[in-house]
Amino acid sequence: MNKKQVLVIDDEPDIRELLELTLGRMNLETRSAANIDEARHLLQGFRFDLCLTDMRLPDGNGIDLVRHIQEKYPQLPVAVITAHGNMETAIAALKAGAFDFVSKPLDLNDLRNIVRSALKVNQGGAVAPVPERVGTRELLGKSPAIEKVRSMIEKLARSQAPVYISGESGTGKELAARLIHELGPRASKPFVPVNCGAIPEQLMESEFFGHKKGSFTGAVQDKEGLFKAADGGTLFLDEVGDLPVHMQVKLLRAIQEKSVRPVGTQSEIRVDVRILSATHKKLHELVREGKFRQDLYYRLNVIELPIPSLRGRPEDVPLLAEALCERLARGQGMPAPRLSKSALEALQTYPFPGNVRELENVLERALTLCDGNEITGDDLQLREEPQPSADMTHPDFSTQSSLEEYLEQVERGAIEQALVRTNRNKTAAAKLLGITFRALRYKLEKLGIE
């Protein structure tokens, strides 16, 4: 069996020798270049499975070489070697298409992990195309918008760059994250999703980084934490915009240093985790308002993957509806009913503020209400909520009521409208209102809303 070939580019002979020895012990063959010109000649003459390049070279910038390889040899993963602490350069390399980066002085364990991951990507020449169905999870649709998402996922699966998945609530951001993981070199390792808005603030550090037994009241045994649970795999930070500022600082350090310190310990633990994140909020606006750290935003948002709303791809609604009906009926142990013409017309004209999640809720209700083996337009019970009038949105302030009572009226109206729009789904309503689930639960109790 032929050995894998690695191209090493560095102008320092000592670094080249260290890389050649390390890769040789991994049963890999290497060819070395001291500058970009030599590297281009080797690329023309040989087929490589991986390229390792320094960022600062005598005749140019490593990022220029990354772009050249992306253009001429798109199947070749490139890992860049950066100066210690120079995250701006590392992020620029990832944006240009680099697979991953390692910092000087070289940590050989980090280097070996990157090499193994990169070689997995190149097995068979390319990542398999994103299927419409992956196990029980589906990425259904034929619209140009969803085809673009599939194409992006294929490219992102080949990289280790952090990805920020944006889109409205209910569009399928976690599904996209799972597909990126399952189609990439980390597929055999854990995919660990976490809803940042659902963790009590006082427990966040322990949940993310773990803790030592006895480190605080209630810590009755050691806990490894989410980063350690995802070691070698992917950590998906859903609703990352809900992280409090003090936790944003700790998260940034963990991502940059690739290590975590469990609560109650003095030593750090190395972790190898790919970070994917998502939120329905507009992170750049939170940054401008000072609610989200700019340095963490740039670290998470190396590449953005926007997920289209359901109303932005109405041609996909019939296909999605039929697949969801089939799955829901199977779960209830019954044959899948047919969607009538009136039902399909109603679904295609409804705006679905709650997106695919709302479509699933609507169909689940219709399955219960329908007679026989057909769902009609009436069974769907689609009622597009009228836009609130100015009086509904902002009730007149009366001198007979206090400012606090007036504000409670406004708050009550907004919450009740959000609950109606999301079919009383509190999690979806909280996202629609732009607040955390904990905050909504508190307000429901305070206002006495059932």
Side-chain angles (χ1 to χ4, degrees), residues 204-407:
M204 274 193 170
E205 189 172 354
S206 167
E207 286 293 314
F208 276 102
F209 308 137
H211 64 248
K212 195 75 174 170
K213 178 181 177 181
S215 55
F216 56 86
T217 304
V220 294
Q221 60 185 17
D222 291 352
K223 182 176 180 176
E224 66 176 9
L226 294 164
F227 267 84
K228 189 61 181 173
D231 195 22
T234 303
L235 181 61
F236 174 54
L237 304 175
D238 197 8
E239 298 307 339
V240 71
D242 290 339
L243 284 173
V245 174
H246 81 275
M247 195 61 207
Q248 293 174 27
V249 178
K250 295 178 183 293
L251 178 63
L252 176 65
R253 188 180 188 284
I255 293 171
Q256 291 189 164
E257 300 299 324
K258 297 184 179 179
S259 62
V260 297
R261 180 180 295 174
V263 176
T265 67
Q266 297 301 314
S267 57
E268 294 195 334
I269 301 171
R270 299 291 292 175
V271 287
D272 171 30
V273 172
R274 184 180 187 183
I275 299 291
L276 306 178
S277 60
T279 181
H280 73 286
K281 297 180 178 179
K282 295 179 179 177
L283 271 190
H284 63 278
E285 290 184 4
L286 295 180
V287 171
R288 190 173 64 246
E289 294 167 5
K291 297 177 182 177
F292 201 86
R293 289 181 63 96
Q294 187 176 51
D295 46 6
L296 178 58
Y297 171 70
Y298 286 125
R299 189 69 187 88
L300 295 175
N301 190 19
V302 173
I303 302 172
E304 182 174 355
L305 174 63
I307 306 296
S309 65
L310 190 54
R311 63 185 170 277
R313 51 185 187 111
E315 61 268 51
D316 290 338
V317 171
L319 184 61
L320 280 164
E322 288 171 7
L324 287 169
C325 266
E326 183 182 324
R327 181 164 65 81
L328 290 167
R330 190 167 58 246
Q332 295 180 23
M334 57 184 284
R338 187 175 67 86
L339 286 160
S340 70
K341 185 179 178 182
S342 65
L344 288 171
E345 287 175 353
L347 289 171
Q348 284 191 283
T349 55
Y350 182 70
F352 284 106
N355 293 293
V356 179
R357 186 183 294 127
E358 183 180 2
L359 173 61
E360 185 171 2
N361 290 341
V362 165
L363 292 170
E364 189 168 14
R365 182 176 63 227
L367 274 173
T368 306
L369 298 175
C370 73
D371 293 322
N373 61 349
E374 183 177 75
I375 292 176
T376 67
D378 291 337
D379 295 327
L380 296 171
Q381 295 191 349
L382 291 174
R383 297 182 301 274
E384 190 171 345
E385 293 301 314
Q387 291 301 310
S389 65
D391 289 342
M392 288 173 63
T393 310
H394 303 293
D396 287 337
F397 177 70
S398 168
T399 53
Q400 295 178 355
S401 63
S402 67
L403 177 61
E404 184 177 353
E405 290 171 330
Y406 169 74
L407 292 175

Side-chain angles (χ1 to χ4, degrees), residues 97-157:
F99 172 82
D100 207 340
F101 71 93
V102 61
S103 299
K104 291 180 180 178
L106 294 176
D107 183 305
L108 295 184
N109 283 328
D110 281 352
L111 177 66
R112 292 187 192 102
N113 286 335
I114 289 171
V115 169
R116 290 189 192 103
S117 293
L119 293 176
K120 283 181 187 176
V121 165
N122 230 10
Q123 283 175 358
V127 172
V130 180
E132 289 197 0
R133 295 173 184 264
V134 177
T136 59
R137 294 178 287 278
E138 303 170 336
L139 188 66
L140 293 174
K142 301 291 185 183
S143 64
I146 207 68
E147 292 287 4
K148 184 177 180 182
V149 171
R150 284 200 197 96
S151 176
M152 277 287 287
I153 287 174
E154 286 180 32
K155 292 176 182 176
L156 296 174

Side-chain angles (χ1 to χ4, degrees), residues 26-135:
M26 296 177 71
N27 200 31
L28 301 170
E29 284 190 0
T30 59
R31 294 184 185 274
S32 299
N35 53 52
I36 290 177
D37 188 53
E38 289 180 15
R40 289 192 176 192
H41 280 94
L42 287 171
L43 285 165
Q44 288 174 350
F46 300 92
R47 183 194 175 281
F48 293 100
D49 300 285
L50 170 65
C51 174
L52 286 171
T53 179
D54 193 15
M55 287 299 291
R56 300 182 65 179
L57 295 163
D59 55 347
N61 190 306
I63 292 179
D64 294 331
L65 183 61
V66 171
R67 292 195 182 103
H68 172 77
I69 290 174
Q70 277 287 296
E71 181 183 347
K72 301 290 186 183
Y73 314 95
Q75 302 302 322
L76 175 60
V78 186
V80 296
I81 302 168
T82 66
H84 178 70
N86 194 341
M87 288 307 301
E88 292 81 6
T89 304
I91 289 170
L94 291 171
K95 283 182 179 291
F99 172 82
D100 207 340
F101 71 93
V102 61
S103 299
K104 291 180 180 178
L106 294 176
D107 183 305
L108 295 184
N109 283 328
D110 281 352
L111 177 66
R112 292 187 192 102
N113 286 335
I114 289 171
V115 169
R116 290 189 192 103
S117 293
L119 293 176
K120 283 181 187 176
V121 165
N122 230 10
Q123 283 175 358
V127 172
V130 180
E132 289 197 0
R133 295 173 184 264
V134 177

